[in-house]
Amino acid sequence: PYTTLFRARDAEFIRSYDDAAEIVPDANVLKLGKGDFLLRTERFKEASEAYGYVAEREPENLFALDGLAMALTNLHDYGMAIATHEKSLKLNPANANAWSNFALTLIGAGEARRAIAAAQSALERDPTHQPALANLGTAYRMLNDARDERLNDYENMVQVFEIAPPDGYSDIESFNRDLNTYLDQLHRDERECLDQTLRGGTQTLENVFGVGHRPIEALRARIDEAVMQYIANMKEDADHPLFRRRTGGFRYSGSWSSRLHDCGFHTNHVHPKGWISSAYYIALPETVDDAQGQQGWIKFGEPGIETPLKDAVRRAIKPAVGRLVLFPSYMWHGTIPFHSAHARTTIAFDAVPR
């Protein structure tokens, strides 16, 4: 949920594109930027108009075609969305992202078999494409195909670790209180950025690992141990997209802190640049104890768009201070909104094979 102030600022940002277009009326790149902003802020009708404007004038502009298709998908205009994807893929059949987005549209349209084929086409071009793996699993599940359970074994691939306190602390609660206070200096923004999955909070822009944050580095030493244990727990399976990437080591490809406020949540998403993803809980609202409503809990299995699936959430885990949850980066996950005056603060990261 956005405040009135933030909505006003969004309107100012949109007007800046229109003001620039009056100066350079033939600069279609401005329309594309506007379309991207509108798509990210879920103003799908306006986004489709911006992308459509460019696609009409530049019929081979792949960015415009893909953006238009995704805007139409979110408007449930699946016929036009599918036709637009097909046009884009005819122009550039080697684009794994375009194939994966096509699969997502087909999932929304209820065409699971075609979605499987599209996701597989993406994976032929990029075997580690995390969104394509997520879409493949969703399409399998729509058909009650057992391959979904093999790809997304929620009980075993989502693992929970209770992190021991770093040196100098007798318990993890006191460490996290100090860590939460330290993180105050990093959470300076008033709201989330457009390309982030959280709503109603802030997320740090720069990596928090490896840049000199002493308390965070103390935590990372403990997290390193948990990630190595997660890797050691993996099965030997050369045909599985998670297990076959195991090399025995890892590195962090990204790390950040998120802080959600009242009514905040993370949208359902996957991590395109990861292999193993995470959530470490630092400070929590009291409402996480609501076992029935599961407020503030992390959920797995629910796709990022509307689908015909019933009971889409396959597993939900209650956060606890000092708890680390690790899972495959391609697994759909999000956060159930909560109501509290107390913030929900986490550190998260993506790990990739080294």
Side-chain angles (χ1 to χ4, degrees):
Y2 299 110
T3 66
T4 301
L5 172 62
F6 293 155
R7 288 185 185 276
R9 296 294 298 274
D10 284 352
E12 291 175 14
F13 198 88
I14 286 294
R15 281 198 299 271
S16 72
Y17 283 105
D18 296 332
D19 292 344
E22 289 183 3
I23 300 171
V24 192
D26 295 327
N28 287 333
V29 67
L30 293 172
K31 283 288 187 182
L32 289 178
K34 181 179 179 180
D36 185 52
F37 182 90
L38 292 164
L39 187 65
R40 291 172 185 270
T41 53
E42 301 176 0
R43 295 164 64 172
F44 302 121
K45 177 63 176 174
E46 294 168 90
S48 70
E49 293 168 354
Y51 285 126
Y53 178 93
V54 179
E56 183 177 341
R57 287 157 179 78
E58 299 181 18
E60 296 187 0
N61 189 310
L62 300 175
F63 188 88
L65 290 171
D66 197 58
L68 175 59
M70 296 315 298
L72 291 168
T73 295
N74 283 282
L75 291 169
H76 302 164
D77 189 349
Y78 297 115
M80 284 299 299
I82 289 170
T84 304
H85 278 302
E86 290 173 336
K87 182 177 181 181
S88 173
L89 288 164
K90 186 176 181 180
L91 292 168
N92 187 11
N95 190 313
N97 283 328
W99 280 108
S100 181
N101 286 341
F102 186 32
L104 189 60
T105 292
L106 291 166
I107 286 168
E111 297 193 32
R113 296 189 188 282
R114 291 184 67 191
I116 289 172
Q120 289 173 335
S121 292
L123 292 167
E124 288 170 5
R125 290 154 177 83
D126 179 359
T128 64
H129 199 283
Q130 302 299 291
L133 289 166
N135 294 332
L136 182 62
T138 302
Y140 283 154
R141 192 168 153 203
M142 290 168 67
L143 297 173
N144 295 315
D145 190 316
R147 287 177 291 182
D148 171 48
E149 185 59 33
R150 180 172 180 272
L151 180 63
N152 295 297
D153 182 350
Y154 295 96
E155 292 305 313
N156 293 305
M157 292 182 189
V158 180
Q159 296 180 19
V160 177
F161 297 83
E162 306 299 339
I163 299 300
D167 293 342
Y169 287 87
S170 60
D171 59 80
I172 198 65
E173 290 79 12
S174 58
F175 169 75
N176 277 335
R177 282 194 294 272
D178 287 351
L179 178 58
N180 193 45
T181 299
Y182 181 87
L183 288 171
D184 289 344
Q185 65 185 301
L186 303 184
H187 286 277
R188 294 295 192 183
D189 293 335
E190 294 182 337
R191 62 175 289 186
E192 67 275 8
C193 293
L194 287 178
D195 59 351
Q196 296 171 339
T197 64
L198 76 167
R199 301 290 183 268
T202 59
Q203 181 171 306
T204 58
L205 295 177
E206 305 297 333
N207 286 327
V208 296
F209 287 172
V211 292
H213 299 303
R214 186 169 297 177
I216 297 176
E217 291 306 298
L219 172 66
R220 189 180 79 159
R222 294 288 189 249
I223 287 176
D224 288 349
E225 298 167 358
V227 175
M228 287 302 297
Q229 184 60 53
Y230 184 88
I231 294 170
N233 292 342
M234 290 183 180
K235 300 176 183 178
E236 294 289 342
D237 188 343
D239 295 325
H240 194 283
L242 179 70
F243 304 144
R244 71 184 176 209
R245 296 180 67 186
R246 180 171 63 176
T247 61
F250 74 94
R251 63 178 178 84
Y252 295 107
S253 59
S255 56
W256 57 93
S257 174
S258 297
R259 179 170 283 169
L260 294 173
H261 300 290
D262 184 40
C263 299
F265 63 99
H266 283 270
T267 61
N268 296 324
H269 64 287
V270 301
H271 290 216
K273 297 180 180 180
W275 170 45
I276 301 167
S277 293
S278 61
Y280 173 76
Y281 299 101
I282 299 166
L284 296 167
E286 69 287 350
T287 52
V288 298
D289 292 328
D290 174 15
Q292 183 174 359
Q294 299 182 335
Q295 294 187 50
W297 290 29
I298 187 171
K299 57 180 177 176
F300 296 93
E302 187 174 52
I305 65 167
E306 292 183 33
T307 69
L309 290 171
K310 294 182 179 180
D311 301 320
V313 176
R314 296 294 304 277
R315 186 178 178 187
I317 294 177
K318 176 185 175 181
V321 170
R323 178 167 290 171
L324 173 68
V325 182
L326 298 178
F327 51 90
S329 297
Y330 60 73
M331 192 174 280
W332 287 112
H333 62 284
T335 306
I336 299 170
F338 66 91
H339 298 280
S340 175
H342 299 287
R344 177 187 185 275
T345 304
T346 60
I347 280 178
F349 55 84
D350 289 330
V352 294
R354 185 176 58 204

